[in-house]
Amino acid sequence: MLITYRCHQRQHYPTDSFSIEQAPWRAQVLNNHPFSHALTDEPTSQPTAVIYTGNQRMQITMESAKNSSKSSNMKEILARLGGDFPMDEEAVLKLLPMGTKLIAVEKFGVSAFTATGRIKALEPTNGQKEYFIKVAYGEQGRVMLNGEAMSSLMIYDLMPDFIPKPVGFGAYQQEQAAYFYLSEFVDMDVTTPPDPVEWTKRLANMHKQSQSPTGQFGFPVKTCDGKTAHTTDWEDSWAVFYRTLFLGVCKRDIEANGSWPELELATEQIANAVIPQLLDNLKMSDGQKIKPCIIHGDLWEGNMGISKETNKSLLFDSGSYFAHNEMELGHWRCEFSTVFRDKSYTEHYQQNYPPAEPVEEFDDRNRLYSLKGAIVYSAGHPQSSMRKTAYNNMLYLIEKYAPLNGVDKYDPNIDPSITGACIVPHLAEGFI
C-alpha cells in the first residue's frame, strides 16, 4: 500500500510512524513526505515500555524518562532509567515486517543527545536481523530525529551504499514525549581514519549528484546539528540562506552562554558586511551559479565509519540541508575535528569538486563556514572554548573585509588552524 502525505514546511502530519516499505519514495518527489508525526494532547494512562535485557523481557514505567525529557543530557536520562534502554515494542514493530518478533535490545554506542541501541529481531522471511535505534525526548527530540530520518532517506536514495538504510521514524505509543529513528544496523570501524582518496571521492559524488527539489537552498523539514535546530526555509540566495542560518545559531549561543557585547557586534558585522562580500558573487569553477547540494550537515570523523563488510566509508547522524558544497568542509576546521583537519582530506576533495570562484577566497570561506559549527558546539556546551575561537575567526574576517571599531584584534596565537589546538568532543557529558 502506498501511503503519501502532502508536504508543507513546518506542518505536522497525521501519523504515528512511517516505514520505508510502506511508501516507496524518491528524493526528487518531495510532495510526498515519508517521515511524519503529529503531536497529540491526549494523555495516556500508566505509560510503559518494553525493555529487553539479553533475552529477558520486562515491563517498566516510562515516568522517569518523561520527567527526564526536560534534560538534554542523555547520560542523566539513562541513569534515571536505571541503565536500561527505553523501548516500546509495539511502536517499533509497526515499522518492521508483519510477524517480526523482537529477541533483544541492548545499549549500543554513545550519544550526547539521544539513547542509542541495537535491536535483534526475528523476521518471518529474512530470519534474524539487526537494527539500530535512536530515542530522544520532547519536541526537540522529535525535530532532531524526524530531521535525521528525512536526511538519511534522501542520502540513501541518492547513494544507498553511503549510509545505513533508514527504516522509519515514529513515536512511542505509551510515552508521548518519546520519539525514535530506526535504521538497519551496520557493523562499522569508527576508529580508523578513512582513506582520503576513497572518502572524499564518495563525499564529492554525493554533493555533485544531489539535486535540490526546489532548485533552492534549504530543506523540507527542520534538521539539527547536535541538538540545535537549523533554519532551513527555502531560499534562492546562498548568501541570504547562510546569513539566516548563522544568525540563528548565534542567537542560540547567546541564550545558552549569555551576552558578550563584542561578540554580538562582531556577529552583526559578519552578517551585514562580510557574508555579502564573500558569498554574493560566488560562481562554480565553470562559471555557473553555485549549485545547491545536499550536505550531511554535521560532518566530522565522529559521524562516519568504515563498513567491516564492504570496507567502504559510511555516513550517519545526518542533519542535512541543501547548501554550497564547501559548507560541508567548514566543520573540518573546528577543534572537535582532528582527523579531517589534515589538509590531505580537503586537497583530495577539491580534486573531485573544484573550489568555487574566486578560488583565492576558498580559505576565507572555509573560515566563515566554520563559524556555524563552532557556535553550535558552544551553544550545546556552555563555557566551551569554541565560543572564543568563533569570535577570533570573526575578527580575522572583519579585519580583512570590513574593519570595525569596538571589537578586539585577531590573535593568531589562539587560532587552532595555526596552533593545531583541539578539544575532546562531548567531554562534559562523559562521552570520550
Side-chain angles (χ1 to χ4, degrees):
M1 177 175 65
L2 177 65
I3 302 175
T4 59
Y5 296 94
R6 193 69 186 166
C7 177
H8 300 286
Q9 263 187 290
R10 307 294 182 262
Q11 180 174 329
H12 292 164
Y13 299 88
T15 182
D16 292 326
S17 58
F18 191 93
S19 167
I20 290 177
E21 282 69 26
Q22 289 175 298
W25 174 84
R26 289 294 177 264
Q28 293 82 354
V29 187
L30 282 181
N31 286 332
N32 298 327
H33 182 5
F35 293 115
S36 48
H37 185 272
L39 296 175
T40 174
D41 294 325
E42 296 182 7
T44 57
S45 60
Q46 297 180 342
T48 62
V50 178
I51 300 293
Y52 293 79
T53 305
N55 291 322
Q56 299 299 314
R57 184 173 121 178
M58 53 187 173
Q59 298 283 341
I60 70 165
T61 178
M62 288 287 289
E63 189 62 33
S64 58
K66 183 177 182 180
N67 294 335
S68 298
S69 66
K70 298 177 181 179
S71 169
S72 63
N73 190 321
M74 189 54 62
K75 191 174 183 180
E76 293 179 6
I77 292 176
L78 292 177
R80 293 173 194 173
L81 286 171
D84 290 314
F85 188 85
M87 182 69 179
D88 184 331
E89 177 182 16
E90 180 181 355
V92 171
L93 284 175
K94 288 175 68 175
L95 301 186
L96 300 179
M98 185 173 296
T100 296
K101 296 181 180 179
L102 301 187
I103 302 172
V105 63
E106 59 188 7
K107 290 183 292 183
F108 185 89
V110 292
S111 173
F113 309 118
T114 63
T116 55
R118 176 168 58 181
I119 295 172
K120 295 181 181 179
L122 186 62
E123 298 182 356
T125 57
N126 298 321
Q128 186 167 316
K129 198 162 184 180
E130 294 186 341
Y131 295 93
F132 181 76
I133 185 170
K134 277 187 172 184
V135 179
Y137 298 92
E139 175 62 8
Q140 182 183 81
R142 185 194 70 82
V143 171
M144 185 188 309
L145 296 186
N146 184 61
E148 180 177 351
M150 174 67 90
S151 301
S152 301
L153 181 57
M154 294 186 76
I155 294 172
Y156 180 82
D157 190 61
L158 188 67
M159 290 179 65
D161 64 345
F162 202 29
I163 196 166
K165 182 180 180 179
V167 174
F169 162 81
Y172 279 3
Q173 302 302 301
Q174 296 91 348
E175 176 50 69
Q176 293 179 15
Y179 302 88
F180 69 98
Y181 167 61
L182 195 67
S183 70
E184 290 189 349
F185 180 86
V186 177
D187 193 11
M188 295 185 222
D189 175 359
V190 295
T191 60
T192 302
D195 174 61
V197 176
E198 186 265 355
W199 162 247
T200 58
K201 182 177 181 179
R202 284 165 67 75
L203 180 63
N205 283 342
M206 183 187 83
H207 292 158
K208 288 189 291 187
Q209 293 175 26
S210 62
Q211 295 290 331
S212 168
T214 66
Q216 299 170 299
F217 300 96
F219 208 65
V221 300
K222 284 184 180 179
T223 60
C224 294
D225 180 346
K227 64 179 181 179
T228 301
H230 295 132
T231 303
T232 56
D233 299 323
W234 294 111
E235 176 57 59
D236 289 324
S237 164
W238 168 242
V240 172
F241 180 89
Y242 182 72
R243 181 182 186 275
T244 303
L245 180 70
F246 169 73
L247 289 175
V249 297
C250 288
K251 181 175 182 290
R252 296 290 182 90
D253 177 66
I254 292 172
E255 293 169 353
N257 288 293
S259 178
W260 181 358
E262 292 81 7
L263 172 64
E264 292 163 41
L265 188 60
T267 296
E268 289 301 315
Q269 189 73 346
I270 292 291
N272 298 328
V274 175
I275 288 177
Q277 288 194 58
L278 280 175
L279 304 186
D280 267 350
N281 299 308
L282 281 180
K283 299 289 184 183
M284 300 289 288
S285 59
D286 60 3
Q288 300 297 312
K289 290 177 59 177
I290 59 169
K291 168 183 175 287
C293 301
I294 194 168
I295 65 171
H296 175 281
D298 181 17
L299 189 56
W300 63 294
E301 55 266 20
N303 284 341
M304 65 82 55
I306 301 171
S307 168
K308 293 182 179 180
E309 179 181 359
T310 67
N311 206 36
K312 290 183 177 180
S313 55
L314 296 169
L315 304 169
F316 52 86
D317 283 355
S318 53
S320 298
Y321 49 97
F322 286 87
H324 179 204
N325 66 294
E326 292 177 12
M327 181 70 193
E328 193 88 276
L329 313 185
H331 260 45
W332 300 3
R333 195 183 193 104
C334 296
E335 290 105 307
F336 53 69
S337 183
T338 55
V339 173
F340 293 157
R341 217 191 304 176
D342 186 313
K343 291 183 179 180
S344 65
Y345 287 97
T346 297
E347 290 170 355
H348 280 289
Y349 177 86
Q350 290 178 331
Q351 291 175 17
N352 293 283
Y353 205 134
E357 296 285 353
V359 174
E360 62 271 17
E361 293 178 356
F362 171 83
D363 192 65
D364 292 337
R365 293 194 298 270
N366 186 256
R367 190 184 295 267
L368 176 66
Y369 294 158
S370 77
L371 295 177
K372 180 260 186 184
I375 294 167
V376 165
Y377 192 91
S378 172
H381 304 79
Q383 310 307 315
S384 167
S385 63
M386 291 194 65
R387 194 184 202 203
K388 190 173 183 179
T389 297
Y391 176 54
N392 195 49
N393 278 328
M394 290 184 199
L395 298 176
Y396 176 93
L397 295 170
I398 288 170
E399 288 179 15
K400 186 170 182 178
Y401 292 96
L404 177 69
N405 294 325
V407 296
D408 299 298
K409 293 292 184 181
Y410 161 73
D411 185 355
N413 296 313
I414 59 171
D415 185 339
S417 66
I418 296 175
T419 66
C422 61
I423 65 170
V424 179
H426 304 303
L427 181 63
E429 292 96 344
F431 297 123
I432 58 175

